[in-house]
Amino acid sequence: MSRRFILWGAVFLGVTALFAADLFQMPKLSPDVRKQAAELYDQECYACHRWNRKFAGPAMRANVERYLEDPRALFDYLKDPKPIHPDQYRPMEIKKLSDQEASMMVAWLLSLVKDSSAVDRPR
Ligand code: HEC
């Protein structure tokens, strides 16, 4: 392989990575989006999760804290849950979330970790 080929290959990969990173954007948390996220949580998450303690699944605050630096990974997990603690829990089974549902859930949950006195924080 020529040097030039490798160089252009690297440029191509870099540009592709930039576009891939762009696909995930956290929505603005308007009051309306917060409300939608809270409702979705009530319907799809609250059955198994409590904020501060273990329930059918691990405590939500600790879950979300793991993703503070990497919201994209939380988005990916919610879109397609993979086993995380197979020794302690069964893999999470939830309804298929749309990209819009998953991204507003990520934005909302991360905001709650940063401000857990928010009035719409689930129990
Ligand atoms: C049927 C029960 C159930 C429901 C409903 C459920 N979860 Fe879970 N959740 C679990 C279990 C069990 C685990 C632990 C899975 C594992 O360790 O593989 C988990 C783990 C998680 C984690 C931790 C991932 C990690 O990296 O540690 C997050 C975040 C999470 N759930 C978010 C949600 C959200 C958001 C919803 C609603 C859209 C939801 N869960 C609905 C049972 C559930």
Side-chain angles (χ1 to χ4, degrees):
M1 264 195 281
S2 80
R3 268 218 162 118
R4 183 171 288 182
F5 182 82
I6 294 172
L7 179 69
W8 282 112
V11 169
F12 174 75
L13 285 178
V15 171
T16 313
L18 273 179
F19 278 105
D22 241 357
L23 287 179
F24 177 68
Q25 280 180 343
M26 289 222 270
K28 285 234 158 58
L29 276 176
S30 64
D32 196 46
V33 170
R34 291 196 82 98
K35 188 162 165 261
Q36 283 178 44
E39 279 170 12
L40 183 67
Y41 189 94
D42 263 0
Q43 287 161 18
E44 303 295 337
C45 318
Y46 187 69
C48 296
H49 289 286
R50 292 296 176 272
W51 191 252
N52 280 315
R53 66 181 169 89
K54 237 168 139 167
F55 197 52
M60 189 55 75
R61 187 181 55 188
N63 283 344
V64 180
E65 275 170 353
R66 287 166 28 86
Y67 294 97
L68 273 173
E69 303 302 322
D70 191 2
R72 167 88 217 198
L74 180 54
F75 175 86
D76 291 341
Y77 177 74
L78 293 180
K79 290 288 292 181
D80 183 17
K82 302 262 178 344
I84 308 260
H85 317 279
D87 47 321
Q88 298 173 53
Y89 297 100
R90 304 173 44 163
M92 173 162 102
E93 280 178 39
I94 54 173
K95 81 153 194 169
K96 191 122 197 68
L97 301 183
S98 69
D99 286 3
Q100 189 250 342
E101 288 174 325
S103 57
M104 79 181 182
M105 186 58 74
V106 168
W108 181 66
L109 287 173
L110 288 171
S111 82
L112 293 174
V113 162
K114 289 174 194 152
D115 174 16
S116 66
S117 66
V119 288
D120 55 350
R121 199 208 80 195
R123 280 187 300 137

